[in-house]
Amino acid sequence: MQAIVVDRFGGPEVLVLRDVADPVPGDGEVLVEVAAAGVSRVDTAVRRGQGPPHLAAAPPYVPGGAVTGTVAGIGTGVDPALRGRRVAARAAGGGYAERVVVPASELVTVPDGVGSGAAAALLDDGATALGLLERTPVRRGEHVLVLPAGCGPGSLLVQLVASAGGRVIGAVRGADRHDRVRALGAEHVVDHARPGWVAEVHALVPHGPAVVFDGVGGTAGRAAAWLVADGGRYSSFGTAGGPAPELGPCEERSRRLTTVGPAQLADLGAEVPRRAREVLALAAAGQLRPLVGAEYPLADAARAHADLERGRTAGTVVLRP
């Protein structure tokens, strides 16, 4: 079979398509024929050798994790009825491949009416968005800033927060994404690439949003943290624009803030199957719409990484073996 292999850390060019041996399912495992593999910013950080400790990889390795596809083989101790089922799962050995092996206990059935690309987005980004909202709940009527609102987790957060009764302010990069984010449920959209975006948010909510979900970090993330209303909640889940802002204990106490840092992502993994079932059910019922921004052939994984890092895509990016 073919898979993307990384022999050394570096730029997108280190993602190379290779012929590798087919994986064989062991006890309690299944073989999945991959229909779509999710591509995340975490994948790009791991490729550079800068990934979070709990997802660190040593070359040579196959990148990725979230996949959807069909059960094509079963190992010992696995229910034969699983064969042929459409499923989503995280492949511990890397998802950028034509076939992967996963534990049968971690499979999530993909409901009818949910496409493979959408299911890959929901397994990874959807489960993350739901986990973030569970960690930092939103009350009806509260103003909530989602930064960025056009990315995979952000676009799903916009919808989940709006469904919970929150009044969403979506922050995006580029005017071309405004209408798309409004269609997902945001009441207002601001462009965080423009110098005046903080003043725009102040004009909308003079005392600041009650909750900020920050998946950018860096300068924009620090500005977003300053916007949080006194007594509000700040949740950091990404550092695409730089390190997460450091809010000192004195600042947190004086402003009575509740903060959660990006380390929370490591704790969300244990309940991915449960959260994935919930968001897949919402999608099947037409209540949640994953934003699949771009699809690439498996062989174009390097281009997918480059486009993601340069901000050329919106929503979730997937590879098609």
Side-chain angles (χ1 to χ4, degrees), residues 75-88:
T76 56
V78 176
D79 184 357
L82 286 175
R83 191 185 294 272
R85 183 173 298 182
R86 289 182 69 229
V87 296

Side-chain angles (χ1 to χ4, degrees), residues 36-39 116-118 120-121 292-297 304 316-320:
V39 179
S116 298
V292 179
E295 298 186 358
Y296 301 79
T316 302
V317 175
V318 299
L319 298 176
R320 294 282 191 177

Side-chain angles (χ1 to χ4, degrees), residues 61-124:
Y61 74 95
V62 176
V67 299
T68 59
T70 304
V71 176
I74 58 173
T76 56
V78 176
D79 184 357
L82 286 175
R83 191 185 294 272
R85 183 173 298 182
R86 289 182 69 229
V87 296
R90 289 199 62 83
Y96 294 11
E98 292 180 317
R99 287 173 285 282
V100 299
V101 164
V102 298
S105 61
E106 296 182 13
L107 294 177
V108 177
T109 299
V110 177
D112 292 341
V114 179
S116 298
L122 290 164
L123 175 70
D124 224 347

